[in-house]
Amino acid sequence: MSQNSAPRYPLVLVPGMLGFIRLVFYPYWYGIVEALRRGDAVVFAVQVSPINSNEVRGEQLLARIDEIVRETGAAKVNLIGHSQGALTARYAAAKRPDLVASVTSVAGPNHGSELADHLHRHYPHDSVRGRLLTGLLRIVSALICWLDTGYRGPKLPVDIHGSHHSLTTEGVALFNQRYPQGLPESWGGHGPEEVSGVRYYSWSGTLQPGKTDRGRNLFDGTSRYCRLFARTFVRERENCDGMVGRYSSHLGTVIGDEYPLDHFDIVNQSLGLLGKGAEPVRLFVEHAARLNAAGL
């Protein structure tokens, strides 16, 4: 990405559930922030509650956006959200479209996740299995907060039940009633390109066959987990990245929905150990140029 293709407004990267900025030395957006900054883009990787509802995370993001516009002098920001981070970004844009130039959903469960539906059915929060899962998530969340060397703000609240409900098909349907900006009118279609002055984009991946080609590498452990998670899917079992369905991810202008990338590889969380045809960093660099071309 050349200097002339850097976006006009800062890029704000919003992580998904159990997200972080940097665990000790390991960044959530592995290699992506550096690649964008090499093209002179102004980039902020931010942190919100690792486990909480879309609305709570969205309010935290709005507070961070206020800080960024004051710090940079920019009038607006471009939001790029991974997984639940996409819903977080959508909330912020719906509430303060004057501060947001664009929202980009990267593997966002914009119509809910069938994995969350499966957990809701088989691990209800008031059951023994549900309480065990809740305990495990509390431990993981606490570890993330403790090990996140990229975040220096106040302690962030945790709401496991609120987070889980925010990701189910039913929960996201309620969220979409309140904040429909960018959503397609028909299943699998494109949504409006612009709403209230905010541009909407999305891209996502799908699990591919084979072990070393088209996005799966023998040293890429996340692919094994995602293939296991994919077994919980019904409607989009053959069209998902392990955690989010191909068509469920659609928002605004759909840049692509069949990239050979699982839910973690799409933000390069496998230390770059990806198979043939998988280039997640390139997708972000190209998108920065796309935002620049749109005057954003």
Side-chain angles (χ1 to χ4, degrees):
M1 183 173 66
S2 67
Q3 180 175 357
N4 291 333
S5 63
R8 175 183 178 186
Y9 301 113
L11 297 171
V12 178
L13 309 183
V14 188
M17 179 183 176
L18 295 177
F20 49 89
I21 296 177
R22 183 177 60 250
L23 288 185
V24 188
F25 298 110
Y26 180 72
Y28 185 95
W29 309 87
Y30 185 82
I32 292 170
V33 173
E34 293 79 6
L36 292 169
R37 286 177 176 165
R38 282 196 294 271
D40 284 341
V42 177
V43 187
F44 292 86
V46 301
Q47 176 63 314
V48 292
S49 287
I51 302 180
N52 217 310
S53 68
N54 301 322
E55 292 82 0
V56 170
R57 286 164 52 95
E59 288 295 330
Q60 294 167 354
L61 176 59
L62 282 172
R64 190 69 182 94
I65 291 171
D66 280 335
E67 293 174 353
I68 290 170
V69 296
R70 286 198 302 269
E71 177 182 339
T72 63
K76 301 180 179 183
V77 298
N78 292 297
L79 299 176
I80 302 180
H82 171 235
S83 193
Q84 191 184 7
L87 303 176
T88 307
R90 285 177 51 197
Y91 174 90
K95 288 291 188 177
R96 291 296 306 273
D98 57 308
L99 292 179
V100 179
S102 71
V103 169
T104 302
S105 166
V106 179
N110 293 305
H111 294 274
S113 169
E114 291 189 63
L115 174 60
D117 292 342
H118 174 83
L119 294 175
H120 179 70
R121 289 192 302 270
H122 297 282
Y123 294 82
H125 69 277
D126 56 350
S127 69
V128 173
R129 289 198 295 180
R131 286 193 288 270
L132 288 173
L133 179 60
T134 295
L136 176 62
L137 289 173
R138 287 193 183 280
I139 292 171
V140 173
S141 177
L143 284 173
I144 287 173
C145 292
W146 182 55
L147 295 173
D148 191 347
T149 58
Y151 177 69
R152 289 291 181 269
K155 184 177 179 180
L156 296 168
V158 169
D159 182 352
I160 293 174
H161 180 63
S163 174
H164 177 69
H165 179 69
S166 289
L167 295 171
T168 62
T169 300
E170 179 183 3
V172 176
L174 293 173
F175 178 83
N176 288 343
Q177 289 177 14
R178 301 185 188 101
Y179 314 108
Q181 293 87 343
L183 290 173
E185 291 186 2
S186 59
W187 180 252
H190 288 245
E193 182 182 77
E194 183 175 328
V195 182
S196 300
V198 180
R199 295 283 188 97
Y200 288 86
Y201 304 90
S202 62
W203 75 76
S204 58
T206 57
L207 297 172
Q208 304 287 339
K211 291 186 176 181
T212 58
D213 63 339
R214 301 206 66 200
R216 189 180 182 205
N217 187 286
L218 285 174
F219 298 101
D220 177 7
T222 63
S223 185
R224 293 174 175 81
Y225 288 112
C226 285
R227 289 178 186 277
L228 178 64
F229 295 153
R231 296 177 186 177
T232 67
F233 280 64
V234 178
R235 186 177 191 182
E236 294 197 83
R237 184 162 188 169
E238 303 301 324
N239 286 287
C240 73
D241 65 5
M243 301 185 80
V244 172
R246 171 186 176 184
Y247 298 121
S248 180
S249 72
H250 284 197
L251 183 76
T253 299
V254 181
I255 296 164
D257 59 7
E258 274 194 301
Y259 292 110
L261 297 160
D262 67 40
H263 194 72
F264 300 96
D265 290 343
I266 207 160
V267 288
N268 207 34
Q269 284 187 4
S270 299
L271 298 169
L273 298 174
L274 304 169
K276 183 179 179 181
E279 300 179 85
V281 177
R282 177 180 60 81
L283 292 176
F284 282 83
V285 172
E286 289 179 348
H287 190 53
R290 183 179 295 110
L291 295 174
N292 170 274
L296 307 176

